[in-house]
Amino acid sequence: MEIRRKIVCYIAASLDGYIATEDDSLEWLFRVEGEGDAGYAEFMETIDTVVMGRRTYDWVMDAEDGPFPYQGLASYVFTSAAHQDDPFVKFTSQDISSFAKDLKAQPGKDIWVIGGSSLLHGFLKEDLIDEWIISIAPTLIGKGIPLFRELDFEIPLKLKSVKSYGQFAQLHYERK
């Protein structure tokens, strides 16, 4: 039986639903007491592809202050600006739906949509996210970049598991 690749969003959010402050800061997140790596290493074993938006890519590169952290994984960055691929990243402005269909048709492990909010919204509008793994931080930041933008339809999900990692509550949902 062929195993179908899934598109998974593995992300952290504040209790009030933000993934970053308005100025892209995650300092509020790093102040929360976690436990171990909150299942990150286990999750990374299930994927071989990462997809992110350009702002997220820029943030990751600034935060890492060094080499691209996902070397060894197929990595795609959605951007509307022209950008030359490098040895570790392919930049694309392809239609999200056809991009996802092409990726899922290839053999491999699951596909991680890292973020940000605009890219996630594009995947949501096309109903392309198969699973959500959301670590909720016990912090209210009041305003910022929302995990979910307004939609004009519902996407029913099924709770797969709930885990705690220190002060984080991790919710794992799959598409119904």
Side-chain angles (χ1 to χ4, degrees):
M1 180 175 115
E2 181 180 335
I3 297 175
R4 189 177 79 91
R5 295 178 87 178
K6 294 177 286 189
I7 297 177
V8 181
C9 177
Y10 178 96
I11 200 164
S14 65
L15 182 60
D16 52 352
Y18 296 101
I19 57 175
T21 62
E22 289 178 315
D23 63 353
D24 295 333
S25 174
L26 297 180
E27 288 307 311
W28 58 272
L29 180 64
F30 301 135
R31 288 192 293 265
V32 176
E33 181 187 331
E35 180 182 300
D37 68 356
Y40 178 77
E42 182 181 349
F43 171 74
M44 291 300 287
E45 291 296 317
T46 68
I47 66 158
D48 63 5
T49 304
V50 296
V51 178
M52 65 188 84
R54 178 59 190 267
R55 282 181 62 191
T56 300
Y57 170 77
D58 289 344
W59 187 93
V60 165
M61 294 308 291
D62 286 344
E64 289 296 318
D65 195 28
F68 185 65
Y70 304 111
Q71 295 178 24
L73 300 175
S75 300
Y76 300 89
V77 174
F78 274 82
T79 181
S80 56
H83 202 284
Q84 188 161 350
D85 293 348
D86 67 39
F88 307 111
V89 178
K90 290 185 173 127
F91 293 87
T92 183
S93 59
Q94 186 178 352
D95 166 78
I96 288 175
S97 185
S98 59
F99 172 84
K101 183 180 178 184
D102 291 347
L103 262 188
K104 287 180 89 167
Q106 299 170 17
K109 295 181 178 181
D110 291 342
I111 301 153
W112 178 19
V113 178
I114 297 174
S117 184
S118 294
L119 183 64
L120 284 171
H121 187 72
F123 273 82
L124 270 171
K125 284 192 329 190
E126 301 296 328
D127 194 18
L128 295 170
I129 306 284
D130 298 300
E131 293 190 12
W132 294 89
I133 302 171
I134 305 170
S135 294
I136 304 295
T139 304
L140 302 170
I141 62 175
K143 59 183 177 178
I145 299 170
L147 173 56
F148 300 109
R149 294 181 177 190
E150 191 173 306
L151 295 171
D152 57 1
F153 57 91
E154 293 180 15
I155 299 175
L157 302 172
K158 177 183 172 191
L159 182 64
K160 194 169 178 179
S161 68
V162 177
K163 296 177 182 174
S164 63
Y165 293 99
Q167 291 297 304
F168 288 95
Q170 188 176 80
L171 309 172
H172 188 168
Y173 293 97
E174 60 187 7
R175 186 188 297 139
K176 247 183 173 177

